Amino acid sequence: SFQYFEDTWNDPSISGIMRCLPKQMAGYEYQESLNLGPTPLSPEEVDDLLTELSEEYAASTYHLTHRNCLTFAQHLATSLKVPKEFPPWILGILAASTKVGALDATVDYFWGWAKWYMIRKHEPAEEPLPEDSAEQASANSWTFFGMNPSCSPSVSPGPAKGSEPEASSGPPMPVQTLLSEELSDRPF
């Protein structure tokens, strides 16, 4: 079996290959077994192959549609040189997903977010910055982007904090309206 582990995405030294008896891996419900015939390889050659594959299939390389337990099973069956072909229908859902560009991109995008979440979930908690360090870091990031960290009423639809609100006959104008009015007064 080939799988990922939530806490090993940043460690390519951990294999995703697990040895288990057929249909006996805990947490999975098996529907059917397919016999592809005997391998011509000796038991020692099969052990060597599994050792090689355990290094090639790091848990961190798992992908929901491109590199998973089904693609591993196909690779294993081919490497074992069994007489029967790996059934193409088993990979049908994967093939459908990878042949439709938009679907493949969508699956890849959301798989990336799932991996990001799993990585973040297992990272150690960061120590909060002391108050003066947090303010300095914020000021530095504004300066880095060439922006002034102070508020500007020309881009804020509401009154500045602590100031008296002006009398208004309606709701605050959207930022786009304020900006377009401000820019319309400028000669270009």
Side-chain angles (χ1 to χ4, degrees), residues 19 39-50 80:
R19 291 186 185 202
T39 179
L41 302 179
S42 70
E44 293 79 22
E45 290 172 315
V46 172
D47 279 343
D48 291 344
L49 173 63
L50 291 174
L80 287 171

Side-chain angles (χ1 to χ4, degrees), residues 18-149:
M18 305 220 10
R19 291 186 185 202
C20 56
L21 293 173
K23 297 175 91 174
Q24 298 301 312
M25 189 162 181
Y28 294 90
E29 185 178 320
Y30 295 89
Q31 303 298 315
E32 182 178 353
S33 293
L34 299 172
N35 186 343
L36 301 180
T39 179
L41 302 179
S42 70
E44 293 79 22
E45 290 172 315
V46 172
D47 279 343
D48 291 344
L49 173 63
L50 291 174
T51 299
E52 180 184 314
L53 291 176
S54 71
E55 293 170 8
E56 182 181 335
Y57 279 82
S60 63
T61 65
Y62 187 95
H63 186 280
L64 195 58
T65 55
H66 296 234
R67 188 175 171 93
N68 55 44
C69 58
L70 299 176
T71 60
F72 171 73
Q74 180 185 37
H75 186 141
L76 177 61
T78 303
S79 300
L80 287 171
K81 302 175 185 170
V82 293
K84 293 182 183 174
E85 178 186 12
F86 189 82
W89 63 265
I90 291 178
L91 300 174
I93 190 72
L94 303 179
S97 148
T98 56
K99 285 182 182 173
V100 178
L103 180 57
D104 189 40
T106 302
V107 168
D108 194 52
Y109 177 79
F110 284 103
W111 181 244
W113 274 107
K115 281 177 59 174
W116 174 85
Y117 173 75
M118 287 182 265
I119 291 168
R120 291 292 303 231
K121 185 167 91 170
H122 292 282
E123 286 180 343
E126 293 182 17
E127 293 291 323
L129 291 173
E131 188 63 34
D132 57 339
S133 297
E135 289 174 12
Q136 183 62 41
S138 175
N140 288 344
S141 62
W142 282 104
T143 306
F144 174 78
F145 290 110
M147 301 173 78
N148 185 341

